[in-house]
Amino acid sequence: MALPKSMRLLAAVTLCIFFYMVFQIYQAPAPIERPSSGKLKEWTKDPQLDPSGEPLEPLRRVEGDNYEPNNPNSARINATLLALVRNEELEDMLQSMRDLERTWNHKFNYPWTFFNDKEFTDEFKKRTRAATKAEVRYEVVPKEHWEIPSWINMDLFQESVAVLTEQNVQYMSKISYHQMCRWNSGLFFKHPALANTRYYWRVEPKVHFFCDVDYDVFRWMQDHNKTYGFNINIYDSPQSVATLWPETRKFIADHSHHLHPNNAIEWLQDKERRPGHNQKANGYSTCHFWSNFEIGDMEFWRSRAYQEYFDHLDRAGGFFYERWGDAPVHSIALGLFADKSKIHWFRDIGYQHIPFFNCPNNPKCSGCVTGRFTDGEAWLNQEDCRPLWFKYASMD
């Protein structure tokens, strides 16, 4: 017996959807175009030197005891190294500290500020203090900054976990991961311990630093009036931020006065390089600065534009119903509300957070291969979003 027309139509539509999804899954991503050899030289040169190798302008360096830890007239400015870390991550944190102290901070002795949602153990304090000559501070995240907000519907959260876990969104079921992303997005700079601090360098456990850096990075940020410094720039999982750009567009519709005239919105909206990402993220390219390394001016996060933007996102619930990370949230805000000329790529700082590298072409670096982007599978090279940043924003 022949099937009714309506059932034949339904079957046809179902097959179409099935083949479309198969096509999307197996479609090869567009290859990342590497810059020409001339452009590559610009990427990898020391940003502080002109073509002859001479400094572009005076840099703040160690002279005598001007950066000694107990010098009351130190050349240090109002800045700190900052880490959100748990007691059980002590060994990994020590790894990061040893690398950064060896390559940079043993010269400049900027303080370390550690944050935890619980009290730090005596062992954590003892061993981290022994890893540096600089001052070390230990702070607890206020309960009201870490708790799940009252407006989050936990039944909806659990449903979202089930759906996005099916779509292979990592860490979706870990409540602490959502709390961490929310805190890093809009609350860390509100901690009383940072009330009078302006600049920070975020350092995570189990990262590597490869290059000897002999100038005061914080003073460089201040002297050049920079808002933000990044190291690695990649694509995000579009399923994890599916509604982030639509919510951002809602915010912009009511707050267009916050848009900076020299913004980087094209970088955020590019749909040519990874069209599947742009489609699944509803218009967002998913390019973002990988915030496990960031050097920033907290005055930007404290600005009215960012505060209102974060509050809007927070109320929308995407930190829990999806997996909005602090990296895309920070990056979208910077791309819209900051002067893109004040965002700097620290290409001279060699760095690794598994699985990605920034390996400069610089004799001051050791332990990584020049130009390497990943030590993972070859397809991970396609996650590099720096070419888009240079196309739309800046080589700085």
Side-chain angles (χ1 to χ4, degrees):
M1 183 175 66
L3 292 173
K5 183 177 179 181
S6 60
M7 291 187 67
R8 292 200 304 272
L9 180 60
L10 178 61
V13 170
T14 302
L15 281 172
C16 288
I17 293 172
F18 172 78
F19 286 119
Y20 173 79
M21 291 178 69
V22 170
F23 174 76
Q24 290 297 319
I25 291 169
Y26 289 100
Q27 185 182 26
I32 293 294
E33 295 177 9
R34 294 293 173 180
S36 66
S37 57
K39 180 80 75 168
L40 184 59
K41 290 178 182 177
E42 292 183 56
W43 275 34
T44 55
K45 71 178 183 179
D46 186 330
Q48 310 307 327
L49 304 180
D50 67 17
S52 68
E54 294 299 316
L56 292 171
E57 56 188 277
L59 296 173
R60 312 287 186 163
R61 291 193 167 103
V62 174
E63 296 178 1
D65 67 349
N66 67 332
Y67 281 98
E68 283 300 299
N70 298 316
N71 183 353
N73 300 311
S74 166
R76 281 183 295 277
I77 63 169
N78 188 9
T80 190
L81 301 168
L82 184 155
L84 176 65
V85 58
R86 291 179 166 179
N87 289 304
E88 55 267 32
E89 295 175 303
L90 172 58
E91 297 299 336
D92 289 340
M93 193 69 240
L94 288 171
Q95 152 62 52
S96 303
M97 288 186 74
R98 292 187 191 108
D99 266 19
L100 191 53
E101 287 288 331
R102 172 178 52 81
T103 57
W104 184 72
N105 200 46
H106 79 277
K107 310 178 192 99
F108 299 98
N109 295 296
Y110 273 95
W112 288 85
T113 306
F114 293 108
F115 293 95
N116 192 350
D117 63 311
K118 296 180 174 61
E119 292 285 348
F120 283 104
T121 63
D122 290 341
E123 181 188 10
F124 188 100
K125 294 178 180 179
K126 178 182 178 181
R127 296 184 65 191
T128 49
R129 281 198 184 105
T132 179
K133 297 181 297 180
E135 178 187 359
V136 187
R137 307 159 184 166
Y138 303 92
E139 304 293 342
V140 176
V141 177
K143 186 178 179 182
E144 62 272 20
H145 286 183
W146 197 255
E147 289 179 329
I148 299 173
S150 59
W151 55 87
I152 297 299
N153 182 314
M154 293 308 294
D155 290 334
L156 180 55
F157 169 70
Q158 293 299 338
E159 291 175 11
S160 300
V161 167
V163 170
L164 293 184
T165 300
E166 282 272 322
Q167 297 179 31
N168 298 317
V169 174
Q170 286 185 309
Y171 313 122
M172 189 63 200
S173 62
K174 292 186 177 181
I175 290 180
S176 61
Y177 192 87
H178 296 267
Q179 292 169 309
M180 174 191 70
C181 290
R182 178 175 178 260
W183 186 78
N184 278 328
S185 292
L187 298 170
F188 79 93
F189 52 88
K190 294 182 178 181
H191 195 288
L194 297 176
N196 299 313
T197 303
R198 180 160 181 181
Y199 295 95
Y200 70 99
W201 182 337
R202 178 170 158 185
V203 184
E204 292 207 348
K206 205 174 182 179
V207 300
H208 289 277
F209 296 91
F210 301 107
C211 306
D212 181 54
V213 179
D214 63 359
Y215 63 95
D216 184 339
V217 170
F218 291 124
R219 289 293 293 261
W220 190 91
M221 292 282 289
Q222 182 184 70
D223 291 348
H224 292 79
N225 193 25
K226 297 296 182 181
T227 298
Y228 188 83
F230 72 96
N231 192 277
I232 292 172
N233 183 338
I234 61 174
Y235 291 92
D236 207 349
S237 160
Q239 295 90 342
S240 69
V241 291
T243 64
L244 178 56
W245 190 248
E247 284 297 336
T248 298
R249 290 179 62 86
K250 288 180 191 176
F251 178 80
I252 294 171
D254 293 330
H255 301 84
S256 59
H257 55 284
H258 287 324
L259 290 174
H260 196 282
N262 191 33
N263 63 53
I265 194 169
E266 298 94 343
W267 171 65
L268 298 171
Q269 294 187 125
D270 181 272
K271 58 185 177 182
E272 300 300 323
R273 183 77 67 169
R274 299 293 290 274
H277 280 227
N278 183 284
Q279 292 166 10
K280 293 174 184 176
N282 294 297
Y284 172 33
S285 68
T286 76
C287 281
H288 65 281
F289 307 122
W290 218 22
S291 59
N292 45 69
F293 175 111
E294 60 181 11
I295 301 172
D297 181 349
M298 283 188 276
E299 291 307 297
F300 178 78
W301 310 129
R302 293 166 177 149
S303 69
R304 181 177 177 184
Y306 187 75
Q307 289 284 284
E308 291 182 353
Y309 177 59
F310 172 76
D311 289 344
H312 175 90
L313 297 183
D314 202 20
R315 282 286 173 179
F319 291 109
F320 293 90
Y321 302 141
E322 293 183 351
R323 199 209 63 192
W324 295 353
D326 51 277
V329 170
H330 280 185
S331 301
I332 289 175
L334 288 159
L336 295 176
F337 312 134
D339 181 342
K340 64 187 178 186
S341 71
K342 295 183 179 181
I343 298 173
H344 178 66
W345 176 33
F346 278 102
R347 53 192 175 274
D348 56 326
I349 299 181
Y351 175 73
Q352 180 199 24
H353 184 294
I354 296 172
F356 298 117
F357 289 84
N358 181 66
C359 289
N361 182 15
N362 190 323
K364 296 178 181 178
C365 304
S366 62
C368 71
V369 179
T370 298
R372 173 186 285 182
F373 182 66
T374 181
D375 58 358
E377 297 181 31
W379 67 268
L380 287 171
N381 284 305
Q382 299 172 23
E383 298 303 306
D384 188 355
C385 199
R386 288 174 299 181
L388 278 188
W389 177 253
F390 303 140
K391 175 182 178 180
Y392 293 118
S394 172
M395 279 300 300
D396 181 31

